Coordinates of all heavy atoms in Angstrom, one line a residue:
M1 N 0.8 -1.2 0.0 CA 0.0 0.0 0.0 C 0.9 1.2 0.0 O 1.8 1.4 0.8 CB -0.9 0.0 1.2 CG -1.8 1.2 1.3 SD -3.0 0.9 2.6 CE -2.5 2.1 3.8
D2 N 0.6 2.2 -0.9 CA 1.3 3.4 -0.9 C 0.9 4.3 0.3 O -0.2 4.2 0.8 CB 1.0 4.2 -2.2 CG 1.5 3.4 -3.5 OD1 2.2 2.4 -3.3 OD2 1.1 3.8 -4.6
K3 N 1.8 5.2 0.7 CA 1.6 6.1 1.8 C 1.8 7.5 1.2 O 2.8 7.8 0.5 CB 2.4 5.9 3.0 CG 2.1 4.7 3.8 CD 2.9 4.6 5.0 CE 2.5 3.4 5.9 NZ 3.3 3.4 7.2
T4 N 0.9 8.5 1.6 CA 1.0 9.8 1.1 C 1.3 10.7 2.3 O 0.6 10.6 3.4 CB -0.3 10.3 0.4 OG1 -0.5 9.4 -0.7 CG2 -0.1 11.7 -0.1
F5 N 2.3 11.6 2.2 CA 2.7 12.4 3.3 C 2.7 13.9 2.9 O 2.9 14.3 1.8 CB 4.2 12.1 3.7 CG 4.4 10.7 4.1 CD1 4.9 9.7 3.2 CD2 4.3 10.3 5.4 CE1 5.1 8.4 3.5 CE2 4.5 9.0 5.8 CZ 4.9 8.0 4.9
F6 N 2.3 14.7 3.9 CA 2.4 16.2 3.8 C 3.8 16.5 4.5 O 4.0 16.2 5.7 CB 1.3 16.8 4.5 CG 1.3 18.3 4.5 CD1 0.9 19.0 3.4 CD2 1.8 19.1 5.6 CE1 0.9 20.4 3.3 CE2 1.8 20.4 5.5 CZ 1.4 21.1 4.4
V7 N 4.7 17.1 3.7 CA 6.0 17.3 4.2 C 6.4 18.8 4.2 O 6.2 19.5 3.2 CB 7.1 16.6 3.3 CG1 8.5 16.7 3.9 CG2 6.7 15.1 3.2
V8 N 6.9 19.3 5.4 CA 7.3 20.7 5.5 C 8.8 20.7 5.8 O 9.3 20.1 6.7 CB 6.6 21.4 6.7 CG1 7.1 22.8 6.9 CG2 5.1 21.3 6.5
I9 N 9.5 21.3 4.8 CA 11.0 21.3 4.9 C 11.4 22.8 5.1 O 10.9 23.7 4.4 CB 11.6 20.8 3.6 CG1 11.1 19.3 3.3 CG2 13.1 20.8 3.6 CD1 11.2 18.9 1.9
E10 N 12.2 23.0 6.1 CA 12.6 24.3 6.5 C 13.1 25.1 5.2 O 14.0 24.7 4.5 CB 13.7 24.3 7.5 CG 14.1 25.6 8.0 CD 15.2 25.5 9.1 OE1 14.8 25.2 10.2 OE2 16.4 25.8 8.8
G11 N 12.5 26.3 5.1 CA 12.9 27.2 4.0 C 12.3 26.9 2.6 O 12.7 27.5 1.6
N12 N 11.4 25.9 2.6 CA 10.8 25.5 1.3 C 9.2 25.5 1.5 O 8.7 25.4 2.6 CB 11.2 24.1 0.9 CG 12.7 24.1 0.6 OD1 13.1 24.5 -0.6 ND2 13.5 23.8 1.5
D13 N 8.5 25.5 0.3 CA 7.1 25.4 0.4 C 6.8 23.9 0.8 O 7.6 23.0 0.4 CB 6.5 25.7 -1.0 CG 6.5 27.1 -1.3 OD1 6.6 28.0 -0.4 OD2 6.5 27.5 -2.5
P14 N 5.7 23.7 1.4 CA 5.3 22.3 1.8 C 5.0 21.5 0.5 O 4.7 22.1 -0.5 CB 4.0 22.4 2.6 CG 4.0 23.9 3.0 CD 4.7 24.6 2.0
V15 N 5.3 20.2 0.6 CA 5.0 19.3 -0.6 C 4.2 18.1 -0.1 O 4.2 17.7 1.1 CB 6.3 18.8 -1.2 CG1 7.1 20.0 -1.9 CG2 7.2 18.1 -0.2
V16 N 3.5 17.5 -1.0 CA 2.8 16.2 -0.8 C 3.6 15.1 -1.6 O 3.8 15.3 -2.8 CB 1.4 16.3 -1.2 CG1 0.7 14.9 -1.1 CG2 0.6 17.3 -0.4
I17 N 4.0 14.1 -0.9 CA 4.8 13.0 -1.5 C 4.1 11.7 -1.2 O 3.7 11.4 -0.1 CB 6.2 13.0 -0.8 CG1 6.9 14.4 -1.1 CG2 7.1 11.9 -1.4 CD1 8.2 14.5 -0.4
T18 N 4.0 10.9 -2.3 CA 3.5 9.5 -2.2 C 4.7 8.6 -2.3 O 5.5 8.7 -3.3 CB 2.5 9.3 -3.2 OG1 1.4 10.2 -3.1 CG2 1.9 7.8 -3.1
V19 N 4.8 7.7 -1.4 CA 5.9 6.7 -1.3 C 5.3 5.3 -1.6 O 4.4 4.9 -0.8 CB 6.6 6.7 0.0 CG1 7.8 5.7 0.0 CG2 7.2 8.1 0.3
K20 N 5.7 4.6 -2.6 CA 5.2 3.3 -2.9 C 5.8 2.3 -1.9 O 7.0 2.3 -1.6 CB 5.7 2.9 -4.3 CG 5.2 1.5 -4.7 CD 5.5 1.2 -6.1 CE 5.0 -0.2 -6.4 NZ 5.1 -0.6 -7.8
D21 N 5.0 1.5 -1.3 CA 5.4 0.4 -0.4 C 5.9 -0.7 -1.2 O 5.2 -1.5 -1.8 CB 4.2 0.0 0.5 CG 4.7 -0.9 1.6 OD1 5.9 -1.0 1.9 OD2 3.8 -1.5 2.3
D22 N 7.3 -0.8 -1.3 CA 7.9 -1.8 -2.2 C 8.9 -2.7 -1.4 O 9.9 -2.2 -0.9 CB 8.7 -1.0 -3.3 CG 9.3 -1.9 -4.3 OD1 9.2 -3.1 -4.2 OD2 9.9 -1.3 -5.3
V23 N 8.5 -3.9 -1.3 CA 9.4 -4.9 -0.6 C 10.7 -5.1 -1.3 O 11.7 -5.6 -0.7 CB 8.7 -6.2 -0.3 CG1 7.5 -6.0 0.6 CG2 8.3 -6.9 -1.6
N24 N 10.8 -4.7 -2.6 CA 12.0 -4.9 -3.3 C 12.9 -3.7 -3.3 O 13.9 -3.6 -4.0 CB 11.7 -5.3 -4.8 CG 11.0 -6.6 -4.9 OD1 11.3 -7.6 -4.2 ND2 9.9 -6.6 -5.6
R25 N 12.6 -2.7 -2.5 CA 13.4 -1.5 -2.4 C 14.7 -1.9 -1.8 O 14.8 -2.7 -0.9 CB 12.7 -0.5 -1.5 CG 13.4 0.9 -1.4 CD 12.6 1.9 -0.5 NE 11.4 2.3 -1.2 CZ 10.2 2.2 -0.7 NH1 10.0 1.6 0.4 NH2 9.2 2.7 -1.4
P26 N 15.8 -1.3 -2.3 CA 17.1 -1.6 -1.7 C 17.1 -1.4 -0.2 O 16.5 -0.4 0.4 CB 18.1 -0.5 -2.3 CG 17.4 -0.2 -3.6 CD 15.9 -0.3 -3.3
N27 N 17.8 -2.3 0.5 CA 17.8 -2.3 2.0 C 16.5 -2.5 2.6 O 16.3 -2.3 3.8 CB 18.5 -1.1 2.6 CG 19.9 -0.9 2.1 OD1 20.6 -1.9 1.9 ND2 20.4 0.3 1.9
N28 N 15.4 -2.8 1.8 CA 14.1 -3.1 2.3 C 13.6 -2.0 3.2 O 13.0 -2.2 4.3 CB 14.0 -4.5 3.0 CG 12.6 -5.0 3.1 OD1 11.8 -4.6 2.3 ND2 12.4 -5.9 4.0
L29 N 13.8 -0.7 2.8 CA 13.3 0.4 3.6 C 11.8 0.5 3.6 O 11.2 0.2 2.6 CB 13.9 1.7 3.0 CG 15.4 2.0 3.0 CD1 15.7 3.3 2.3 CD2 15.9 2.0 4.4
D30 N 11.2 0.8 4.8 CA 9.8 1.0 4.9 C 9.5 2.4 4.3 O 10.4 3.2 4.0 CB 9.3 0.9 6.3 CG 9.9 1.9 7.3 OD1 10.5 2.9 6.8 OD2 9.7 1.7 8.5
C31 N 8.3 2.8 4.2 CA 7.9 4.0 3.5 C 8.4 5.3 4.3 O 8.9 6.2 3.7 CB 6.4 4.2 3.4 SG 5.6 3.0 2.2
D32 N 8.4 5.2 5.6 CA 8.9 6.4 6.4 C 10.4 6.5 6.2 O 10.9 7.7 6.0 CB 8.6 6.2 7.9 CG 7.1 6.2 8.1 OD1 6.4 5.2 8.0 OD2 6.6 7.3 8.5
S33 N 11.1 5.4 6.2 CA 12.6 5.5 6.0 C 12.9 5.9 4.6 O 13.9 6.7 4.4 CB 13.2 4.1 6.3 OG 13.0 3.8 7.6
A34 N 12.2 5.5 3.6 CA 12.4 5.9 2.2 C 12.1 7.4 2.1 O 12.9 8.1 1.4 CB 11.5 5.1 1.2
L35 N 11.1 7.9 2.7 CA 10.8 9.4 2.7 C 12.0 10.1 3.3 O 12.4 11.1 2.8 CB 9.5 9.7 3.4 CG 9.2 11.2 3.6 CD1 8.9 11.8 2.3 CD2 8.0 11.3 4.6
E36 N 12.4 9.7 4.5 CA 13.5 10.3 5.2 C 14.8 10.4 4.3 O 15.4 11.4 4.2 CB 13.9 9.6 6.5 CG 15.0 10.2 7.2 CD 15.4 9.5 8.5 OE1 14.6 8.6 8.9 OE2 16.4 9.8 9.1
K37 N 15.1 9.3 3.6 CA 16.3 9.2 2.7 C 16.1 10.2 1.6 O 17.0 11.0 1.2 CB 16.5 7.8 2.2 CG 17.7 7.7 1.3 CD 18.0 6.3 0.9 CE 19.1 6.1 -0.1 NZ 19.9 7.3 -0.5
W38 N 14.9 10.3 1.0 CA 14.6 11.2 -0.1 C 14.8 12.6 0.3 O 15.5 13.4 -0.4 CB 13.2 10.9 -0.7 CG 12.9 11.8 -1.9 CD1 13.2 11.5 -3.2 CD2 12.2 13.0 -1.8 NE1 12.8 12.6 -4.0 CE2 12.2 13.5 -3.2 CE3 11.7 13.8 -0.8 CZ2 11.5 14.7 -3.5 CZ3 11.1 15.0 -1.2 CH2 11.0 15.4 -2.5
V39 N 14.2 13.0 1.4 CA 14.3 14.4 1.9 C 15.7 14.8 2.2 O 16.2 15.8 1.8 CB 13.4 14.6 3.2 CG1 13.7 16.0 3.8 CG2 11.9 14.5 2.8
T40 N 16.5 13.9 2.9 CA 17.9 14.2 3.3 C 18.8 14.3 2.0 O 19.6 15.1 1.9 CB 18.4 13.3 4.3 OG1 18.3 11.9 3.9 CG2 17.7 13.4 5.6
D41 N 18.5 13.4 1.1 CA 19.3 13.5 -0.2 C 19.0 14.7 -1.0 O 19.9 15.3 -1.5 CB 19.0 12.2 -1.0 CG 19.6 10.9 -0.5 OD1 20.4 11.0 0.5 OD2 19.3 9.9 -1.0
K42 N 17.7 15.1 -1.1 CA 17.3 16.2 -2.0 C 17.5 17.5 -1.3 O 17.8 18.5 -2.0 CB 15.9 16.0 -2.4 CG 15.4 17.0 -3.4 CD 14.1 16.6 -4.0 CE 13.5 17.6 -5.0 NZ 14.3 17.8 -6.1
Y43 N 17.4 17.6 0.0 CA 17.4 18.9 0.7 C 18.5 19.0 1.6 O 18.5 19.9 2.6 CB 16.0 19.1 1.4 CG 14.9 19.3 0.4 CD1 14.1 18.3 0.0 CD2 14.7 20.6 -0.2 CE1 13.0 18.4 -0.9 CE2 13.6 20.8 -1.1 CZ 12.8 19.7 -1.4 OH 11.8 19.9 -2.3
D44 N 19.6 18.3 1.5 CA 20.8 18.4 2.2 C 20.6 18.5 3.7 O 21.1 19.4 4.4 CB 21.6 19.7 1.7 CG 22.0 19.6 0.3 OD1 22.3 18.5 -0.1 OD2 22.0 20.6 -0.4
F45 N 19.9 17.6 4.3 CA 19.7 17.5 5.7 C 19.0 18.7 6.4 O 19.2 18.9 7.6 CB 21.0 17.2 6.4 CG 21.6 15.9 5.9 CD1 22.6 15.9 4.9 CD2 21.3 14.7 6.5 CE1 23.1 14.7 4.5 CE2 21.8 13.5 6.1 CZ 22.7 13.5 5.0
K46 N 18.2 19.4 5.7 CA 17.5 20.5 6.3 C 16.4 19.9 7.2 O 15.9 18.8 7.0 CB 16.7 21.3 5.2 CG 17.6 22.3 4.4 CD 16.8 23.1 3.5 CE 17.6 24.1 2.8 NZ 16.8 25.0 1.9
P47 N 16.2 20.6 8.3 CA 15.1 20.1 9.2 C 13.8 20.0 8.5 O 13.5 20.9 7.7 CB 15.1 21.2 10.3 CG 16.4 21.9 10.3 CD 16.8 21.9 8.8
Y48 N 13.0 19.0 8.9 CA 11.7 18.8 8.2 C 10.8 18.1 9.2 O 11.2 17.5 10.2 CB 11.9 18.0 6.9 CG 12.2 16.6 7.1 CD1 11.2 15.6 7.1 CD2 13.5 16.2 7.3 CE1 11.5 14.3 7.3 CE2 13.8 14.8 7.5 CZ 12.8 13.9 7.5 OH 13.1 12.6 7.6
D49 N 9.5 18.1 8.9 CA 8.5 17.4 9.6 C 7.5 16.9 8.6 O 7.4 17.4 7.5 CB 7.8 18.3 10.7 CG 7.2 17.5 11.8 OD1 7.3 16.2 11.8 OD2 6.7 18.1 12.7
Y50 N 6.8 15.8 8.9 CA 5.9 15.2 8.0 C 4.7 14.5 8.7 O 4.9 14.2 9.9 CB 6.6 14.2 7.1 CG 7.1 13.0 7.7 CD1 6.3 11.8 7.7 CD2 8.3 12.9 8.3 CE1 6.7 10.7 8.3 CE2 8.8 11.8 8.9 CZ 8.0 10.6 8.9 OH 8.4 9.5 9.5
W51 N 3.6 14.4 8.0 CA 2.4 13.8 8.6 C 1.9 12.9 7.5 O 1.8 13.3 6.3 CB 1.4 14.8 8.9 CG 1.8 15.7 10.0 CD1 1.7 15.6 11.4 CD2 2.6 17.0 9.8 NE1 2.2 16.7 12.0 CE2 2.8 17.5 11.1 CE3 3.1 17.6 8.7 CZ2 3.5 18.7 11.3 CZ3 3.8 18.8 8.9 CH2 4.0 19.3 10.1
E52 N 1.5 11.7 7.8 CA 0.9 10.8 6.9 C -0.6 11.3 6.7 O -1.3 11.5 7.7 CB 0.9 9.4 7.4 CG 0.3 8.4 6.3 CD 0.3 7.0 6.8 OE1 1.0 6.6 7.8 OE2 -0.4 6.2 6.1
I53 N -0.9 11.6 5.5 CA -2.2 12.2 5.2 C -3.4 11.4 5.7 O -4.4 11.8 6.2 CB -2.4 12.6 3.7 CG1 -1.4 13.8 3.5 CG2 -3.8 13.0 3.3 CD1 -1.4 14.3 2.1
D54 N -3.3 10.1 5.5 CA -4.4 9.2 5.8 C -4.7 9.2 7.3 O -5.8 8.8 7.8 CB -4.1 7.7 5.4 CG -4.2 7.6 3.9 OD1 -4.8 8.4 3.2 OD2 -3.7 6.6 3.4
T55 N -3.7 9.6 8.1 CA -3.9 9.6 9.6 C -4.4 10.9 10.1 O -4.7 11.1 11.3 CB -2.6 9.2 10.3 OG1 -1.6 10.2 10.1 CG2 -2.1 7.8 9.9
C56 N -4.4 11.9 9.2 CA -4.8 13.3 9.6 C -6.4 13.4 9.7 O -7.1 12.7 8.9 CB -4.3 14.3 8.6 SG -2.5 14.5 8.6
E57 N -6.8 14.2 10.6 CA -8.3 14.4 10.6 C -8.7 15.3 9.4 O -8.0 16.3 9.1 CB -8.6 15.1 11.9 CG -10.1 15.3 12.2 CD -10.3 15.9 13.6 OE1 -9.6 15.6 14.5 OE2 -11.3 16.7 13.6
K58 N -9.8 15.0 8.8 CA -10.2 15.7 7.6 C -11.6 16.3 7.9 O -12.4 15.7 8.5 CB -10.3 14.7 6.4 CG -8.9 14.2 6.1 CD -9.0 13.1 5.0 CE -7.7 12.4 4.7 NZ -7.2 11.5 5.7
H59 N -11.8 17.5 7.3 CA -13.1 18.2 7.4 C -13.5 18.7 6.1 O -12.7 19.2 5.3 CB -13.0 19.4 8.4 CG -12.6 19.0 9.8 ND1 -13.5 18.7 10.7 CD2 -11.3 18.9 10.3 CE1 -12.8 18.4 11.8 NE2 -11.5 18.5 11.6
N60 N -14.8 18.6 5.8 CA -15.3 19.3 4.6 C -16.1 20.5 5.0 O -17.0 20.3 5.9 CB -16.3 18.3 3.8 CG -15.5 17.1 3.2 OD1 -14.4 17.3 2.7 ND2 -16.1 16.0 3.3
I61 N -15.8 21.6 4.5 CA -16.5 22.9 5.0 C -17.1 23.6 3.8 O -16.7 23.4 2.7 CB -15.5 23.8 5.8 CG1 -14.3 24.2 4.9 CG2 -15.1 23.1 7.0 CD1 -13.5 25.3 5.6

């Protein structure tokens, strides 16, 4: 199952990233670890925070 995250990286606009849950990923990284690796590789270890969108409370207004 893919996971979608709302990611806030210091000094950048927030982004929404979907990570495919792939058991064949090198080092068998889980989705959270794959996201961490992507952010640190792309944004040079800038501080960041993230939330899995499916776990966030949602409202229609």
Side-chain angles (χ1 to χ4, degrees):
M1 181 168 110
D2 297 349
K3 289 187 175 183
T4 303
F5 300 96
F6 180 80
V7 183
V8 178
I9 303 160
E10 184 178 283
N12 295 276
D13 290 335
V15 293
V16 174
I17 299 171
T18 300
V19 181
K20 182 177 179 171
D21 191 11
D22 185 357
V23 296
N24 297 316
R25 184 179 287 121
N27 298 325
N28 202 21
L29 296 175
D30 62 12
C31 290
D32 293 87
S33 299
L35 173 66
E36 179 179 350
K37 180 175 178 2
W38 183 84
V39 170
T40 56
D41 288 350
K42 185 165 177 67
Y43 292 96
D44 299 323
F45 299 95
K46 285 186 177 181
Y48 72 97
D49 204 356
Y50 67 95
W51 299 267
E52 185 179 346
I53 289 178
D54 288 341
T55 64
C56 294
E57 186 175 326
K58 297 171 183 76
H59 299 272
N60 293 322
I61 57 170

